[in-house]
């Protein structure tokens, strides 16, 4: 388990919805997301969800963590 970097956390907290939709496009074109057929709409919804979690965490003086398994 790793904590999201301060840079990513702050970016998610501050990102406008338009920014998240714009960032979803190149993210959805990565090999990893293309292989599992994640389109830009789904990627945008995931980013919006992560931004909401980051905003909630910040308001509660908490952090976000990522569970990573290989």
């Amino acid at each position: 388990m790793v904590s999201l970097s301060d840079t990513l956390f702050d970016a998610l907290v501050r990102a406008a919805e338009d920014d998240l939709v714009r960032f979803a496009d190149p993210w959805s074109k990565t090999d990893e997301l293309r292989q599992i057929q994640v389109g830009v709409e789904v990627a945008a919804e995931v980013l919006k969800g992560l931004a909401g979690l980051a905003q909630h965490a910040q308001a509660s003086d908490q952090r976000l963590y990522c569970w990573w398994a290989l």
Side-chain angles (χ1 to χ4, degrees):
M1 184 178 323
V2 296
S3 175
L4 264 62
S5 69
D6 291 340
T7 302
L8 179 54
F9 183 80
D10 292 341
L12 286 168
V13 168
R14 292 186 176 93
E17 187 170 335
D18 289 345
D19 293 330
L20 296 170
V21 171
R22 186 168 40 93
F23 298 147
D25 184 52
W27 185 38
S28 71
K29 294 177 182 173
T30 62
D31 289 340
E32 294 80 7
L33 293 188
R34 283 190 340 201
Q35 287 175 1
I36 57 173
Q37 300 177 345
V38 172
V40 68
E41 297 85 10
V42 172
E45 289 303 314
V46 169
L47 289 176
K48 290 175 194 176
L50 287 172
L53 286 172
Q55 292 162 358
H56 181 74
Q58 183 187 52
S60 303
D61 199 29
Q62 301 289 318
R63 299 285 307 164
L64 288 183
Y65 296 88
C66 179
W67 179 269
W68 188 352
L70 296 175

